[in-house]
Amino acid sequence: MKLNPARAQRLAVSRSGLLGALLLTLATALPAARAGEIEVLHWWTSGGEARAAQALKASMQAKGHSWKDFAVAGSGGDSAITVLRSRVVSGNAPAAAQIKGPSLQAWAREGVLTSINEVARAERWDDLLPQVVSDQMKYRGDYIAVPVNVHRVNWLWVNPAVFARVGAKVPSSWDEFFAAAETLKKAGVIALAHGGQSWQDLTLLETVTLGVGGAEFYRQAFVLREASALNSPTMDKVLSTYKRIKPFTDRNAPGRDWNLATAMVIKGEAAMQLMGDWAKGEFLAVGSQPGKGFICTPAPGTAKSFIFVVDSFAMFKLKSPANSAAQKDLASAVMSPEFQEAFNLSKGSIPVRLGMKMDRFDDCAKASAQEFSTAAKQASLLPSIANGMAAPSSIEWALKDVVSQFWNSDKMSTAEAMKRMVEASRRQ
Ligand code: GAL
């Protein structure tokens, strides 16, 4: 799937009057001191993602800068990061790149990122961000990245018409999930739309881990990566539950992009998807509304917990002063309330900036915002292991490999999978 920028632009402009207003506000309020070129690497190429990326492009163009889109298709960003690495190694880094979590520190250690403290101090970012987020955006006390949003991973997306047709009940526990899945399967419906790519296999496993083991177990297994959790009776139960899901997915799942799985739910070819709320962006992009065309509900057993992904842009060292100025404008625009609202309304996520009004957001986003603050207080706010938030990328990759092999193999036992997960978590 390739981004067609012209189409993405038409889509965004026609669907969002807000964008026009945003353009106007930014153009009048913040004229560019000096026009530069801003090249941004991202992997936001699906329908909802492209609409959101368009908001970023529009805000930069409104400041008089030229936008060079560096979109690398391949959901989850695995291909994008490979391309980024070769660009940086050859001394040709973009102004900004979609990099998250512990990887920010790893790139900063290589000395290729630049400080945006000037903007961050002037705008008092420390007061505008939850500390768990601002800490990740800094390297040795300097801001080297700007956060965009907060995604919640542990969601179940449901097509209510399909559920009504077969007489199934939307599940809130794993028992209910399997009961509904049986009913759907008997009626000839694909119960769960899944995309068999390793990051999606691990995304599904992390959600099952939270649902079956609870928040504290998730933390021990994927944040602290304790062998006593990764190889335990609880993980055995998690893996067995995970494997029980597979017969309710379809034969064409291997290799499928996540947004194509969402499209199956949209079209009623499948009844459910377990996926982060970037999936909501897909429903919204085709005009489907929460509570009507689709239902969002916490993944079974995870109502009070929140697995988070915070997307962010790391800022690279640049040679041209005009482009560096444009880069600072980008950082400032991303943190502005106007952008945080416009972008997140399309992306399916919620603003990362504190104190934002949520009245223009839908019920899924309002629930997400509510759970985000509740989970933070109850220590059930957890970083996603599958989406770059919890571990160095070498460990994340090794875990993705093991989990995918376990998902796809008829022969690998839970005991073998656990042993290999412990090994994967020791990678440097
Ligand atoms: C995640 C990213 C989300 C979404 C998703 C699918 O890694 O954080 O913003 O884009 O990939 O592409």
Side-chain angles (χ1 to χ4, degrees), residues 204-265:
L204 184 59
L205 180 76
E206 72 180 26
T207 295
V208 176
T209 304
L210 179 63
V212 172
E216 194 40 43
F217 178 74
Y218 180 103
R219 191 185 317 282
Q220 286 162 6
F222 292 137
V223 183
L224 304 173
R225 294 182 291 283
E226 288 168 357
S228 57
L230 288 165
N231 192 346
S232 66
T234 307
M235 186 54 87
D236 192 76
K237 196 170 163 212
V238 167
L239 289 170
S240 310
T241 308
Y242 178 64
K243 238 6 212 307
R244 246 184 99 191
I245 298 173
K246 197 165 176 220
F248 299 107
T249 63
D250 68 316
R251 224 178 271 150
N252 296 325
R256 177 186 287 139
D257 283 332
W258 66 273
N259 54 312
L260 300 182
T262 312
M264 292 168 69
V265 181

Side-chain angles (χ1 to χ4, degrees), residues 362-397:
D362 60 34
D363 289 347
C364 304
K366 284 181 183 140
S368 181
Q370 178 65 46
E371 288 309 327
F372 185 68
S373 53
T374 313
K377 285 175 209 134
Q378 293 171 354
S380 52
L381 190 58
L382 303 156
S384 168
I385 180 75
N387 292 275
M389 299 304 296
S393 56
S394 51
I395 293 180
E396 182 180 322
W397 273 100

Side-chain angles (χ1 to χ4, degrees), residues 43-44 49 75-76 100 151 199 258 278 309 311 347 387:
W43 59 88
W44 290 329
E49 290 176 329
S75 51
K100 301 179 281 195
H151 272 300
W199 75 272
W258 66 273
W278 42 90
V309 173
D311 286 312
K347 186 70 169 69
N387 292 275

Side-chain angles (χ1 to χ4, degrees), residues 17 34 69 90 101 143 166-167 172 191 219 227 253 261 287-288 375:
R34 206 161 152 198
D69 204 46
S90 62
Y143 276 94
V166 306
S172 59
R219 191 185 317 282
S288 183

Side-chain angles (χ1 to χ4, degrees), residues 106-323:
W107 283 92
R109 270 195 298 276
E110 289 182 32
V112 291
L113 301 185
T114 191
S115 160
I116 45 169
N117 270 352
E118 200 187 310
V119 182
R121 281 216 193 98
E123 298 182 354
R124 311 175 66 90
W125 288 8
D126 281 352
D127 301 335
L128 299 177
L129 294 170
Q131 201 188 332
V132 44
V133 177
S134 55
D135 282 351
Q136 272 196 332
M137 301 300 129
K138 291 180 192 171
Y139 178 66
R140 297 194 177 146
D142 292 337
Y143 276 94
I144 40 84
V146 59
V148 184
N149 60 358
V150 181
H151 272 300
R152 187 186 196 187
V153 177
N154 52 306
W155 281 116
L156 178 70
W157 306 95
V158 170
N159 182 319
V162 175
F163 266 69
R165 180 155 53 80
V166 306
K169 177 178 170 285
V170 175
S172 59
S173 66
W174 286 106
D175 284 348
E176 288 177 6
F177 175 88
F178 288 112
E182 284 292 355
T183 308
L184 288 157
K185 195 175 180 183
K186 276 194 198 115
V189 180
I190 300 166
L192 190 76
H194 181 62
Q197 295 172 343
S198 65
W199 75 272
Q200 293 185 67
D201 295 338
L202 187 56
T203 297
L204 184 59
L205 180 76
E206 72 180 26
T207 295
V208 176
T209 304
L210 179 63
V212 172
E216 194 40 43
F217 178 74
Y218 180 103
R219 191 185 317 282
Q220 286 162 6
F222 292 137
V223 183
L224 304 173
R225 294 182 291 283
E226 288 168 357
S228 57
L230 288 165
N231 192 346
S232 66
T234 307
M235 186 54 87
D236 192 76
K237 196 170 163 212
V238 167
L239 289 170
S240 310
T241 308
Y242 178 64
K243 238 6 212 307
R244 246 184 99 191
I245 298 173
K246 197 165 176 220
F248 299 107
T249 63
D250 68 316
R251 224 178 271 150
N252 296 325
R256 177 186 287 139
D257 283 332
W258 66 273
N259 54 312
L260 300 182
T262 312
M264 292 168 69
V265 181
I266 293 173
K267 289 186 217 142
E269 289 166 15
M272 304 181 270
Q273 184 183 18
L274 282 157
M275 183 49 69
D277 46 19
W278 42 90
K280 192 183 77 183
E282 299 304 294
F283 287 99
L284 300 181
V286 296
S288 183
Q289 291 302 315
K292 297 182 187 128
F294 69 95
I295 289 173
C296 60
T297 187
T302 71
K304 293 282 159 245
S305 302
F306 194 116
I307 301 180
F308 70 91
V309 173
V310 170
D311 286 312
S312 47
F313 286 113
M315 301 295 173
F316 282 84
K317 284 183 180 157
L318 299 174
K319 291 179 196 115
S320 146
N323 293 351

